[in-house]
Amino acid sequence: MLLTNAKLATMDGSAAYGLIGDGAVAIEGERIAWAGPARDLPYAYRALENVDLEGRLVTPGLIDCHTHVVHGGNRAREFEMRLEGASYEEVARAGGGIVSTVAATRSATEEELLADALTRVDAMIAEGVCSIEIKSGYGLDIENELKMLRAARAIASSRPVQVRTSYLGAHAVPPEYKDRPDAYIDEVCIPGLEAAHAEGLVDAVDGFCEGIAFSPAQIAHVFDKARALGVPVKLHAEQLSNLGGARMAADYGALSADHLEYADAGDAAAMAKAGSVAVILPGAFYTLRETALPPIEAFRDHGVAMAVATDCNPGSSPMSSLLLSMNMACTLFRMTPEEALAGATRHAARALGLDGTGMIKAGLRADLAIWDVEHPSELSYRIGFNPLWKRIFGGAL
Ligand code: DI6
Ligand code: FE
């Protein structure tokens, strides 16, 4: 297939979106064979089946690099209660909070988890998303963590989308281990990681390093196992306070540290040294009405790559729009539209250790989004509007 009459935002790291005004993309099989200015198109590709894009914009297919899209139930009633003035403790006592999602996830079958997740995944795909990272972390026992990861992987056989799965056994302490987090790590989280890895279900290991979850030392224990298994790590860090999680993750060469509202310039320096991506999650900031801003300027100064993702989860970020996340990253955090788009393409790929995607470049997977817009800044600018025309996934329109 040959895409012509296209504007390209290649996002290849060159200035200004890597924009090419009159571009062409030649696709052979699953891969981009050639991309560049139309006038330079090699003769050999001119015979390919031509798709005239009538001046539309082509970007890399979007990548949502941090989601909890597989989960049981929802927390709309808790949302209502909090708006009626209930405190977090009152919500928890009434059976709400993360524990209620754990209960709903445990009682759902793998098929039910899949069907429910697909409703949100379809919304993501409709906005040009071609790759989604999905975490476990609402099973919190071995059987249910595995069930979540299997449901997540099944998404890639049900829809044209790439899925990367992260084992998040260290997300919360389940009720049966209340006040015994170390025992949970030793008896469930680490054996669960071994079992999930043995089944080939783990692309990365994640954790939630926070006062209400696990300490850096407890997470380090899980990361040691990940290292022994040869699996890369990432971490929910400095979301509600600064416990040193981002630095600890950097010490393990983490793919990313995520959230980071309470991170500081020292954390940025450590992440830069390790090459860890900062995954910015404005949906959680917005939903929790957080006021501490992630240190965007420090990430820029230190050259830390920033990704942007939905954090789609039933509690702190019930959001399945990556375009809205990009808008929020700009409006709430003063990222530029170019940073936001890089954050949902090239840098998101890096946060997942995905080399073959996230840019428009010869040799990479032909995962592309085609938009009815004049300029890539419009993708971050509009609110609640989806200008996707069509998507190309693995070379198929
Ligand atoms: N950070 C969050 O904001 C969510 N998990 C996490 O690690 C909260 C998840 C939930 O409330 O269900
Ligand atoms: Fe998260």
Side-chain angles (χ1 to χ4, degrees), residues 11 45 108 126 152 157 240 274 284 286 301 326 358 390:
M11 304 311 291
Y45 297 122
S157 0
L240 309 169
Y286 168 84
D301 288 348
M326 290 161 61
K390 278 183 202 308

Side-chain angles (χ1 to χ4, degrees), residues 66 68 71 75 78 88 97-102 135 137-138 168 170-172 206-210 212-213 236-237 239-240 259 281 284-285 288 311 313-317:
H66 180 139
H68 309 249
H71 57 258
R75 308 239 287 273
E78 172 182 329
Y88 189 79
I98 197 164
V99 168
S100 72
T101 300
V102 173
K135 303 171 193 301
Y138 289 116
L168 180 56
H171 190 199
D206 198 348
F208 187 19
C209 185
E210 195 55 66
I212 57 168
H236 290 67
Q239 181 187 5
L240 309 169
H259 285 289
L281 303 169
F285 173 94
L288 299 176
D311 196 15
N313 77 63
S316 65
S317 189

Side-chain angles (χ1 to χ4, degrees), residues 26-218:
I27 298 170
E28 288 183 322
E30 287 198 339
R31 310 251 144 218
I32 298 170
W34 187 89
R39 61 172 185 279
D40 298 337
L41 179 69
Y43 197 76
Y45 297 122
R46 295 186 191 197
L48 291 173
E49 183 199 344
N50 182 35
V51 180
D52 182 343
L53 295 186
E54 300 170 328
R56 291 185 176 89
L57 175 75
V58 185
T59 68
L62 302 189
I63 301 171
D64 195 341
C65 69
H66 180 139
T67 89
H68 309 249
V69 75
V70 170
H71 57 258
N74 72 70
R75 308 239 287 273
R77 180 58 197 136
E78 172 182 329
F79 179 61
E80 283 190 324
M81 284 174 67
R82 277 193 279 116
L83 288 167
E84 285 158 8
S87 70
Y88 189 79
E89 286 71 26
E90 284 164 337
V91 167
R93 254 185 278 121
I98 197 164
V99 168
S100 72
T101 300
V102 173
T105 302
R106 287 177 175 179
S107 67
T109 64
E110 184 186 320
E111 293 69 31
E112 287 165 344
L113 288 179
L114 171 63
D116 186 55
L118 285 176
T119 62
R120 295 177 285 277
V121 166
D122 284 340
M124 293 169 174
I125 288 173
E127 285 190 350
V129 169
C130 289
S131 303
I132 306 179
E133 185 263 9
I134 305 176
K135 303 171 193 301
S136 68
Y138 289 116
L140 306 184
D141 62 30
I142 296 176
E143 178 196 333
N144 285 296
E145 288 290 295
L146 292 177
K147 180 178 73 182
M148 284 187 77
L149 293 171
R150 290 186 198 119
R153 286 288 178 88
I155 287 171
S157 0
S158 311
R159 293 292 187 274
V161 72
Q162 284 204 91
V163 168
R164 302 294 277 184
T165 44
S166 301
Y167 177 78
L168 180 56
H171 190 199
V173 181
E176 62 275 18
Y177 278 90
K178 194 173 186 302
D179 302 324
R180 295 187 297 135
D182 291 306
Y184 170 74
I185 295 285
D186 288 341
E187 293 167 19
V188 179
C189 185
I190 289 177
L193 169 55
E194 287 172 324
H197 179 262
E199 211 178 299
L201 293 171
V202 184
D203 296 314
V205 169
D206 198 348
F208 187 19
C209 185
E210 195 55 66
I212 57 168
F214 297 97
S215 68
Q218 288 162 340

Side-chain angles (χ1 to χ4, degrees), residues 23 86 190 277 300 321 326 345 355:
I190 289 177
V277 175
R300 276 191 199 117
S321 172
M326 290 161 61
T345 55
D355 301 330

